[in-house]
Amino acid sequence: MVVCPACALESLDEEFCDHCNREICSDTIGVASIPSCLTFESGIQLDCSGWNQQWPSDPYDWLEAAANGRRFRLHGINPKDWRDVADDVERRRDVRLGVLSQIQIAALDGGAFVAAEAMPGARRTSQESVPARDEEAWPVSLDLLVDHCAKLVAAMAELHEAGYVWLNFDPNAIQLGEAGSQITNLDLAVYQKGSCPPSLRISPAYSPPEVCNFIGENIGPATDVFHLAMFAYYWLAGLLPGGFPGRGLQAFDFAVPPLRIYRPGIYPHVTPAIERGLARDPEKRPATVGVFLAELREAVDLAKSRYERDGGRDCNDHRPRVLKWRMWLGGRKVTEKPVCSIFGVTRTGRAKTAQGVQNQDSFRIEMMNHWFSTTRHLVLVADGVSNARAGSGELASQIACQLLGDELKKKDLASRSKFESAVTEACLKASSAIVSRALSAQSPASDLKDSDVMSTTAIIAVVDTDGLWLANIGDSRVYLVSGTSVEQLTVDGDVRCSLLASRGAPEEIDGMGNYAKSLRYCLGAAKATADGGFVPDEERSTPAFGYWPLQLGDVVVLCTDGLVDEGVFLDPVDLQRVVAENIGDSSQMLAERLVNKADSLQREPSAKEPYGFGDNITCVVAKIAAEC
């Protein structure tokens, strides 16, 4: 391990820094000093006194210089480095593109200096993201993102037309001028598609698998799609300018965490568009940056229109929308009336059934009639934790659904504040009841830990044709399926997501193994007291909240992890596919299809797998359809 002289951080790689990717052992062989003024091929003279007559240690760093009313970026390449890059720089000099500066070379004692002319009136663009934790800020933040991506796309598209790719992508390395845009970190080399250069200073925060793994034939316009999608992700996640903490994307195998971990309230539709651009396989990304930008713009428009159709209520009340007259039929008006149908299924699962294990999942659906015309439903889904020593998972989930339902069905939940207040209070009561019931069943053992007390996840939702009020605690999930798009609306309440949200390095969290998957938030969360007892942990028993407008054609799936668990049971894309292929089915038929599909992936106990492979499965489907 060595200390990088550029960023002062320790690096495992002794040649290129793990953090800033700069060369660590740079041999600056050459003359003892350099002049304070240089003359270039065109005869222009530039002041380089800022280097104090010493060769700069990094050729990619540059000085600003001016002559005859023109501005330049001045690079110094010592004799050793020049032997390695001379051919690249000379090829770069012959490239004539509006998005690239024209460069000049001045040789000196085996080394060289490169001057790149800046665009007249050029200015650096700003990548500052509008704080977007509140719903009011999202439309502005999304519009700014699309606008800035369009500027990056204009620069990238010109490179692609000429057969080049922006392999050393840096969103800060672009300037806007009177004549358009210009990339400022391609002064010393350009990179052709379909090949990987023998050496490249990549950005660990942006470079995709084909670049980090030197798969030259996969490098092309889709590589820059990944760069652009990663920039959009960081913008919305509030992770600019450096990206994820830690050693970069390759350190955690490009498994980019869900964007909603960093911005829980982000509008629907946007995240799936960005995720397509971040696919590991270049063939699964949009083919060009222009296509990606069009998909992102369409997603933003869909997201904004969803909330505009919601009447600008800003999640503060739950008034029904006014139905619009659709047509005249036989001398009378006919309206398109949206209807919300809900059905739930819970199943022990083949693997657990074969073991004679009880179903630890529970769900409850209550109709909530109010003075206005729409009918609302209270939906509860709970998944009891299976490793309890005091109590049991099935008992915890049953207590949660019973108590939460009894408490909330009699409450006025017609505003955001009322919903959050009532649900928070009910969750604390449920958590207290679960802890009390667990400890009343037996005297606490001397070695009993807080994690031994029975507990459960919980999804609490109020849903109607207008929208979805949502509270979640634990890792049961809610998905929105809208057309070809599917996305998770909840954030898992486990240790991993909590640490990521607090800006932990993804690779370090992944290194925690199964502990990272343990629940941080749940009902029945307990903490030890000084006298050796246990009391409910209020902080860990408090849910996260969200509100989502719904529209015709939406399908909402509320489920436990026995239904959807990436790489284990159904993936979200499987969920979307089943819904899309059976969109004409009732909510009951869809719920049963999804549960059957997940159950079919389980394996019953065998000699090789004594406990089999599977979990309990619960699925509640809410479908917003039209009724004439």
Side-chain angles (χ1 to χ4, degrees):
M1 186 173 290
V2 296
V3 176
C4 172
C7 68
L9 296 176
E10 292 184 339
S11 172
L12 295 175
D13 191 324
E14 297 183 355
E15 295 184 4
F16 293 92
C17 176
D18 291 336
H19 306 279
C20 68
N21 207 44
R22 292 195 176 184
E23 189 174 5
I24 294 175
C25 301
S26 180
D27 184 0
T28 56
I29 298 173
V31 295
S33 62
I34 60 176
S36 58
C37 186
L38 295 165
T39 301
F40 286 83
E41 296 163 319
S42 65
I44 195 167
Q45 294 184 327
L46 296 176
D47 179 10
C48 62
S49 59
W51 283 320
N52 298 318
Q53 297 185 315
Q54 299 295 317
W55 286 97
S57 60
D58 187 349
Y60 289 92
D61 286 340
W62 43 271
L63 288 178
E64 288 191 1
N68 302 331
R70 298 155 64 189
R71 295 168 48 243
F72 295 85
R73 295 185 298 276
L74 187 58
H75 301 263
I77 310 173
N78 67 63
K80 173 187 175 296
D81 289 339
W82 179 245
R83 290 195 295 270
D84 296 330
V85 304
D87 290 344
D88 291 335
V89 176
E90 288 170 355
R91 279 194 295 269
R92 164 66 179 86
R93 178 178 52 189
D94 297 332
V95 175
R96 297 289 189 269
L97 291 176
V99 75
L100 298 178
S101 301
Q102 294 302 298
I103 68 170
Q104 302 178 53
I105 301 173
L108 177 67
D109 296 324
F113 295 85
V114 176
E117 186 170 359
M119 295 180 71
R123 60 178 176 81
R124 283 193 179 275
T125 58
S126 172
Q127 286 98 39
E128 290 298 321
S129 175
V130 173
R133 293 193 180 276
D134 296 328
E135 290 84 353
E136 301 92 337
W138 277 117
V140 176
S141 184
L142 293 172
D143 286 342
L144 286 174
L145 170 63
V146 171
D147 180 64
H148 193 80
C149 283
K151 296 167 185 173
L152 291 169
V153 165
M156 290 173 164
E158 189 172 347
L159 285 178
H160 297 167
E161 289 175 4
Y164 299 111
V165 183
W166 194 0
L167 287 191
N168 57 343
F169 175 78
D170 178 358
N172 290 312
I174 188 168
Q175 293 181 334
L176 296 179
E178 298 169 359
S181 58
Q182 197 175 82
I183 300 171
T184 63
N185 71 340
L186 290 175
D187 293 341
L188 304 183
V190 288
Y191 306 101
Q192 291 185 317
K193 68 178 182 180
S195 64
C196 191
S199 63
L200 173 68
R201 176 175 292 183
I202 63 174
S203 169
Y206 288 98
S207 295
E210 63 267 26
V211 175
C212 293
N213 296 324
F214 302 98
I215 308 175
E217 61 268 25
N218 287 349
I219 292 176
T223 300
D224 276 337
V225 170
F226 186 96
H227 292 147
L228 189 62
M230 204 72 251
F231 166 73
Y233 179 103
Y234 289 145
W235 176 298
L236 295 173
L239 292 174
L240 290 176
F244 293 111
R247 301 193 307 274
L249 299 172
Q250 192 174 22
F252 51 93
D253 195 27
F254 307 95
V256 178
L259 177 57
R260 203 171 293 282
I261 291 175
Y262 299 98
R263 284 295 188 264
I266 187 172
Y267 285 3
H269 302 293
V270 178
T271 296
I274 294 175
E275 288 176 345
R276 283 191 290 274
L278 296 177
R280 284 189 175 95
D281 184 351
E283 292 186 356
K284 294 183 179 179
R285 302 171 199 154
T288 67
V289 289
V291 173
F292 173 79
L293 178 63
E295 291 185 0
L296 179 62
R297 181 176 281 121
E298 180 183 9
V300 168
D301 289 343
L302 285 171
K304 290 166 60 181
S305 66
R306 179 182 287 266
Y307 282 80
E308 288 167 359
R309 283 195 299 271
D310 195 45
R313 293 182 295 167
D314 190 29
C315 315
N316 287 318
D317 59 55
H318 212 82
R319 296 188 303 270
R321 298 190 194 99
V322 177
L323 298 176
K324 294 184 178 180
W325 298 114
R326 188 179 63 175
M327 58 184 289
W328 285 88
L329 181 62
R332 61 186 180 90
K333 292 178 181 177
V334 178
T335 61
E336 187 177 62
K337 181 182 179 181
V339 175
C340 177
S341 62
I342 297 182
F343 192 84
V345 177
T346 186
R347 186 178 299 173
T348 305
R350 291 190 299 126
K352 300 289 186 182
T353 298
Q355 299 175 61
V357 176
Q358 285 187 282
N359 189 350
Q360 296 179 322
D361 288 359
S362 298
F363 79 93
R364 182 175 178 180
I365 301 173
E366 291 280 350
M367 185 174 291
M368 304 177 71
N369 291 312
H370 286 264
W371 60 268
F372 46 74
S373 59
T374 57
T375 299
R376 292 192 290 168
H377 293 84
L378 172 66
V379 182
L380 305 169
V381 174
D383 180 3
V385 178
S386 59
N387 60 356
R389 291 175 59 198
S392 64
E394 60 267 23
L395 180 58
S397 67
Q398 290 167 11
I399 292 173
C401 284
Q402 184 67 44
L403 193 149
L404 290 172
D406 291 348
E407 286 288 320
L408 295 174
K409 69 180 182 180
K410 58 189 179 185
K411 297 285 188 178
D412 177 9
L413 306 179
S415 72
R416 178 178 186 172
S417 60
K418 290 179 179 179
F419 176 78
E420 294 186 1
S421 175
V423 170
T424 299
E425 181 182 355
C427 283
L428 295 179
K429 285 184 178 180
S431 198
S432 179
I434 290 170
V435 173
S436 297
R437 181 70 176 274
L439 300 180
S440 66
Q442 64 181 71
S443 299
S446 59
D447 63 341
L448 197 66
K449 303 186 296 294
D450 56 5
S451 57
D452 294 326
V453 177
M454 69 176 180
S455 59
T456 181
T457 70
I459 292 290
I460 305 107
V462 173
V463 58
D464 65 13
T465 55
D466 283 342
L468 173 70
W469 295 80
L470 190 59
N472 75 290
I473 185 163
D475 60 1
S476 294
R477 296 177 175 178
V478 178
Y479 290 89
L480 173 65
V481 182
S482 181
T484 60
S485 173
V486 59
E487 58 186 303
Q488 184 178 336
L489 299 180
T490 53
V491 176
D492 294 348
D494 56 18
V495 170
R496 175 177 177 269
C497 290
S498 297
L499 292 177
L500 287 171
S502 60
R503 302 302 191 262
E507 66 271 21
E508 295 177 5
I509 298 169
D510 290 346
M512 295 179 177
N514 287 333
Y515 173 71
K517 299 178 182 179
S518 59
L519 293 184
R520 175 74 180 85
Y521 297 94
C522 57
L523 297 182
K527 59 182 178 181
T529 59
D531 60 1
F534 294 93
V535 295
D537 188 330
E538 291 191 5
E539 191 271 331
R540 292 179 57 208
S541 301
T542 302
F545 294 94
Y547 169 76
W548 316 98
L550 298 179
Q551 57 191 20
L552 288 174
D554 285 347
V555 175
V556 178
V557 177
L558 306 93
C559 63
T560 59
D561 58 1
L563 184 81
V564 178
D565 194 354
E566 294 86 343
V568 180
F569 300 118
L570 298 183
D571 284 336
V573 291
D574 299 322
L575 191 75
Q576 188 276 330
R577 188 179 301 113
V578 171
V579 171
E581 291 174 353
N582 303 280
I583 194 61
D585 285 358
S586 65
S587 56
Q588 177 178 351
M589 294 174 66
L590 281 177
E592 291 173 346
R593 285 184 189 278
L594 290 168
V595 170
N596 290 339
K597 181 71 173 177
D599 203 12
S600 70
L601 300 176
Q602 299 194 14
R603 298 189 294 271
E604 296 184 10
S606 64
K608 185 177 181 180
E609 291 180 300
Y611 298 102
F613 176 82
D615 199 357
N616 310 133
I617 312 167
T618 298
C619 173
V620 176
V621 170
K623 184 178 180 183
I624 310 300
E627 179 183 85
C628 292

